[in-house]
Amino acid sequence: MPPTLQLRSLPALFFVMACATAPVRMDPMAPPAPAIDEPRARPFANPIPWSHEWLDAVERGTRTMSGEPGPRYWQQWASYRLTARLVPEQRRVDGTAEIVYHNRSPDSLPTLHLDLVLNVHDTTAMRNEPMEVTGGVRLTRVAVDGTTLDELQPGRIAPGWAVMGTRLVIVAPRPVASRDSVRLSLAWELPVPQAGAGGRMGWDGDDVFFIAYWYPQMTVYDDVVGWHPDPFLGASEFYHGFARYELTVDAPDGWIIRATGQHENPDAVLAPDVLARLRAAEGSDTTIRIVGPADFAAATRRGPGGRLQWRFSADSVRDVAFSATRRSIWEGARTEIGDRTGDGRAEHTRIEALWRETAPRWRNMVRYEQHSLDFLSRYTGIPYPWPHMTAVEAGGIIGGGMEFPMMTLIGDYNARGDSALYYVTAHELAHMWVPMIVSTDERRYAWLDEGTTTYNENEARMEFFPGVNHHIPDQESYIAFARTGYEGEIMRWSNYHYSPAAYGIASYPKPASVLLALRGLLGDETFHQAYRRFLRQWAWKHPTPWDMFRTFESVSGRNLGWFWRAWYFETWRLDQGIASVTVTPSGTRIVIEDHGETPMPVRLAITRADGRVERRELPVDLWLRGLRRAEVTLAPGSAVTRVEIDPERYFPDVDRRNNVWDGGEDELDELDELDELDEWDERDEWNSGG
């Protein structure tokens, strides 16, 4: 039987408390000997709980213990032919879909599941945050292989369909056998919410629409869970399969449509001079204005009945979205994205930005997009794969940003500096890699998508705004919240966090900071090798957290179970400190105490009076054995004037005030203000879906 709607709970977590009593000396010329002179016990970092479903997939050969897809890995496939008729004055979209769903699984599927995300706006919908009530999606036709089906009545199990919250379930006239396909035909009406799906789509005045999550979309059926049963409740986001799309948008003359995919008929809808400037932008490294205020009235051709049909196509994407505007400046250029085809020559993709004069900070948007895609293509090792990347400004819909394949919706950023607009641009464009290429389950593991993207954003910021460690603000956000005692585990399913703040921290800054800590632990070379292998081997596939964990262990050759357990499955905190620095006849004795629960190695930078800086490390094994205190003894010589733990700031220590000894004087660093921190400052993206 297929694992339809089966959920297995994680195994019970057991903790063993332990302590030891002998002193530890870390002589630079001798191996460490264990010691502790403090009775306070600490938790052991027991092995991580493995997902039973994931282990079953390993046994079936679709996953592997090395973190790679297995020899029997499979995933479903679909092709969509979509039409959207935009009626701006009524703020409505009427849609039709022809979907061919290919069952590549080994299972027979008697039911088919589709997502109706915007049913979160229905009067009866479950939501975990307030939303406008519009009535949601009104289906007017559901057919399977040409047979029109009726809505199921209570108690009826014959072929038909039923809507349950944000899920459409179809009882098919025949089970869809393994390696078979089925054709679905659907039609619907959709009132467009002003800020739909939690501010991820909608309309901004009478001039801008951004339409997303607007069509019935096949729910993911994968090799680990089967049909994914998690509804969309508003906060945690999406999990989509890959498909081919053909999209036709029927819109009034004068409205410029941009969408996911290749624009197939630009010459039929764009005014000749606008089309010429678009072509020029494709070959320009500097920004070209394709449409300006003087062009608004004549940017498009005139169609029959005052309407035009815009056609787009896209292959191997998770989703499609489109924008419609009649008062936006449209600018474009190209950017280098690396050798996409393997012929040894650098390739380019088109950059587009649509913004209104009321958002003047957007004058730099094309340049921000250019750098983001160029950098991220280099950093991930995967060149941006699509023909364009388009950013659309709609401050009346969203405050931060939201990602879609080849499209992003971003606020005006008038009240913030230009750097903030670059930050959100780099973040949303980093999503083109995760989850748009590496398709993760955001409804359960938002951190795998958002945390990775936040880390990538910070790396892009380091290059664009050099001289500053852009990872530190995320460390500080996580640390501030961890000190409140209200955080939840990173691995807690996204819809079930204790508060929006706990969800935000566990999804964005903490996992980004933990990736940086992993990089500090493994070293740059090993980390980047493992990181890029994970992205590369799961490109166009569906990884789980366990696939990521095992990939890093395989590449590094290390058992990192203690790291995953402490940082991902617990809310333990890292708190290392220098207890004392004393001069003895045998040398300088440095005593380190571990006040927290999270075990990490202690990286020491020791400065002598003659200017030499020596490095020492206390291995994590000391803390894994339950110790609380250890020491390093330096050979006699020039006096020690400064000792610092983790000077590169790789590790998110919750109290760095005791991380520095400076000639006997206490030294406080930039985290002193955390003592006075009474509230947590949320990042824009946490409240606006990006």
Side-chain angles (χ1 to χ4, degrees):
M1 293 178 59
T4 305
L5 298 181
Q6 289 184 350
L7 297 175
R8 300 186 180 99
S9 61
L10 293 175
L13 311 183
F14 297 94
F15 303 97
V16 179
M17 309 301 288
C19 62
T21 55
V24 171
R25 295 184 182 275
M26 290 298 296
D27 198 319
M29 302 304 293
I36 189 170
D37 55 11
E38 195 173 292
R40 185 163 64 95
R42 67 180 301 151
F44 267 91
N46 284 333
I48 65 172
W50 293 93
S51 159
H52 292 308
E53 292 92 343
W54 187 85
L55 290 173
D56 289 345
V58 171
E59 186 174 346
R60 291 191 297 267
T62 60
R63 311 266 161 164
T64 66
M65 291 300 291
S66 65
E68 299 173 283
R72 296 182 179 178
Y73 179 82
W74 54 265
Q75 61 189 28
Q76 307 292 62
W77 179 259
S79 60
Y80 294 77
R81 181 171 296 170
L82 303 175
T83 66
R85 187 175 191 273
L86 177 65
V87 187
E89 63 274 15
Q90 298 180 22
R91 292 171 176 153
R92 193 182 86 241
V93 169
D94 298 331
T96 66
E98 295 288 329
I99 306 171
V100 178
Y101 183 67
H102 299 269
N103 180 15
R104 294 176 172 177
S105 81
D107 309 315
S108 178
L109 304 178
T111 60
L112 301 169
H113 295 229
L114 294 87
D115 285 327
L116 299 175
V117 168
L118 292 186
N119 260 10
V120 74
H121 295 279
D122 188 40
T123 55
T124 62
M126 292 189 297
R127 293 180 285 270
N128 54 19
E129 58 184 45
M131 288 193 190
E132 175 186 359
V133 174
T134 64
V137 180
R138 189 174 77 85
L139 293 167
T140 57
R141 182 171 187 253
V142 177
V144 176
D145 287 335
T147 300
T148 300
L149 302 181
D150 295 326
E151 185 172 6
L152 290 172
Q153 301 304 312
R156 184 184 176 194
I157 58 173
W161 57 273
V163 173
M164 295 179 285
T166 57
R167 178 63 53 83
L168 167 63
V169 179
I170 298 174
V171 180
R174 61 175 178 85
V176 183
S178 175
R179 303 298 171 181
D180 199 357
S181 63
V182 63
R183 182 179 296 275
L184 308 180
S185 301
L186 303 105
W188 65 95
E189 297 173 351
L190 173 68
V192 179
Q194 193 277 316
R200 297 175 175 93
M201 57 84 65
W203 48 268
D204 189 358
D206 296 326
D207 302 322
V208 176
F209 285 78
F210 196 96
I211 306 300
Y213 316 120
W214 58 280
Y215 60 98
Q217 186 174 18
M218 299 302 304
T219 302
V220 170
Y221 185 90
D222 68 21
D223 63 305
V224 177
V225 175
W227 289 116
H228 272 248
D230 309 325
F232 176 66
L233 302 178
S236 60
E237 295 180 337
F238 311 104
Y239 184 28
H240 298 317
F242 293 102
R244 174 172 174 76
Y245 289 86
E246 295 179 14
L247 168 65
T248 299
V249 179
D250 181 305
D253 296 345
W255 288 79
I256 294 172
I257 309 298
R258 309 313 293 153
T260 297
Q262 179 71 42
H263 190 181
E264 299 291 355
N265 66 334
D267 53 339
V269 293
L270 292 173
D273 54 342
V274 172
L275 179 60
R277 292 193 289 268
L278 175 62
R279 296 294 186 230
E282 291 176 344
S284 174
D285 295 321
T286 58
T287 301
I288 287 180
R289 180 158 289 187
I290 302 165
V291 169
D295 305 303
F296 289 159
T300 72
R301 294 181 180 272
R302 295 291 177 259
R307 299 184 70 88
L308 291 167
Q309 285 71 49
W310 301 66
R311 296 200 305 273
F312 302 87
S313 66
D315 200 4
S316 299
V317 295
R318 296 188 1 146
D319 198 3
V320 289
F322 67 91
S323 65
T325 176
R326 59 179 178 179
R327 290 290 183 274
S328 294
I329 294 167
W330 180 12
E331 294 182 328
R334 69 175 186 173
T335 193
E336 189 171 307
I337 47 85
D339 182 8
R340 189 163 51 194
T341 60
D343 62 1
R345 293 181 296 178
E347 297 178 60
H348 296 79
T349 197
R350 187 175 70 250
I351 295 296
E352 299 181 33
L354 293 97
W355 53 283
R356 292 165 295 181
E357 294 176 291
T358 54
R361 294 196 186 280
W362 276 63
R363 66 191 182 279
N364 294 317
M365 176 54 77
V366 168
R367 184 165 63 93
Y368 294 165
E369 290 183 88
Q370 285 176 312
H371 177 264
S372 297
L373 284 194
D374 173 26
F375 173 82
L376 292 162
S377 294
R378 288 183 278 115
Y379 189 74
T380 63
I382 301 176
Y384 182 76
W386 293 305
H388 72 91
M389 182 67 226
T390 298
V392 179
E393 174 269 319
I397 299 174
I398 196 167
M402 187 61 205
E403 70 278 1
F404 307 88
M406 305 177 228
M407 302 285 290
T408 181
L409 172 69
I410 298 178
D412 56 39
Y413 276 72
N414 288 339
R416 286 154 283 190
D418 287 338
S419 60
L421 184 56
Y422 174 82
Y423 297 167
V424 71
T425 302
H427 184 94
E428 302 311 325
L429 270 57
H431 276 304
M432 297 305 110
W433 281 264
V434 185
M436 300 307 167
I437 294 174
V438 180
S439 183
T440 58
D441 180 359
E442 301 173 82
R443 293 203 180 151
R444 295 189 178 185
Y445 310 114
W447 64 268
L448 190 51
D449 148 63
E450 296 293 358
T452 303
T453 291
T454 300
Y455 171 85
N456 286 341
E457 171 204 336
N458 292 337
E459 288 294 298
R461 287 162 59 170
M462 301 272 274
E463 183 173 276
F464 198 78
F465 297 105
V468 178
N469 187 342
H470 290 274
H471 290 285
I472 298 302
D474 282 311
Q475 281 189 356
E476 292 180 346
S477 293
Y478 155 61
I479 289 168
F481 196 70
R483 288 161 63 106
T484 70
Y486 291 113
E487 69 163 317
E489 308 88 342
I490 289 178
M491 283 292 288
R492 178 176 288 272
W493 283 8
S494 303
N495 274 328
Y496 299 98
H497 275 284
Y498 303 115
S499 68
Y503 165 80
I505 289 294
S507 301
Y508 292 78
K510 183 176 181 180
S513 298
V514 171
L515 274 180
L516 182 67
L518 182 60
R519 177 175 157 187
L521 176 71
L522 300 179
D524 282 0
E525 183 177 352
T526 299
F527 172 84
H528 286 118
Q529 182 184 355
Y531 184 58
R532 289 166 182 157
R533 179 181 294 183
F534 171 70
L535 296 177
R536 186 171 58 251
Q537 69 193 15
W538 287 99
W540 319 112
K541 299 180 179 69
H542 300 297
T544 70
W546 292 271
D547 299 305
M548 187 194 86
F549 298 156
R550 293 301 296 166
T551 299
F552 273 93
E553 293 188 332
S554 297
V555 172
S556 67
R558 299 174 63 171
N559 182 347
L560 297 172
W562 59 271
F563 184 92
W564 314 128
R565 184 57 179 259
W567 287 112
Y568 289 87
F569 291 88
E570 308 290 350
T571 56
W572 297 346
R573 297 186 293 183
L574 174 67
D575 186 7
Q576 300 170 345
I578 301 168
S580 63
V581 179
T582 56
V583 178
T584 71
S586 59
T588 302
R589 179 174 179 261
I590 303 169
V591 177
I592 304 297
E593 292 180 337
D594 194 347
H595 304 286
E597 301 86 18
T598 295
M600 290 291 283
V602 182
R603 304 276 175 78
L604 294 173
I606 303 161
T607 305
R608 292 187 182 265
D610 61 8
R612 287 185 297 124
V613 177
E614 300 179 23
R615 297 284 183 160
R616 295 290 187 272
E617 177 170 329
L618 293 172
V620 71
D621 292 352
L622 297 174
W623 316 130
L624 293 176
R625 286 154 48 194
L627 307 187
R628 282 291 181 181
R629 177 175 290 198
E631 66 182 53
V632 172
T633 300
L634 302 180
S638 181
V640 172
T641 59
R642 180 181 174 88
V643 180
E644 183 172 3
I645 297 175
D646 184 30
E648 292 81 15
R649 295 288 298 270
Y650 277 115
F651 303 154
D653 191 307
V654 298
D655 184 0
R656 299 188 71 89
R657 294 172 302 178
N658 56 7
N659 284 29
V660 176
W661 176 89
D662 197 6
E665 298 293 331
D666 291 335
E667 178 172 304
L668 305 183
D669 71 2
E670 61 267 35
L671 290 184
D672 288 348
E673 68 271 14
L674 292 182
D675 278 342
E676 288 76 43
L677 187 63
D678 292 321
E679 59 183 299
W680 167 66
D681 224 359
E682 292 179 305
R683 290 175 60 139
D684 292 326
E685 299 97 288
W686 302 346
N687 280 331
S688 52

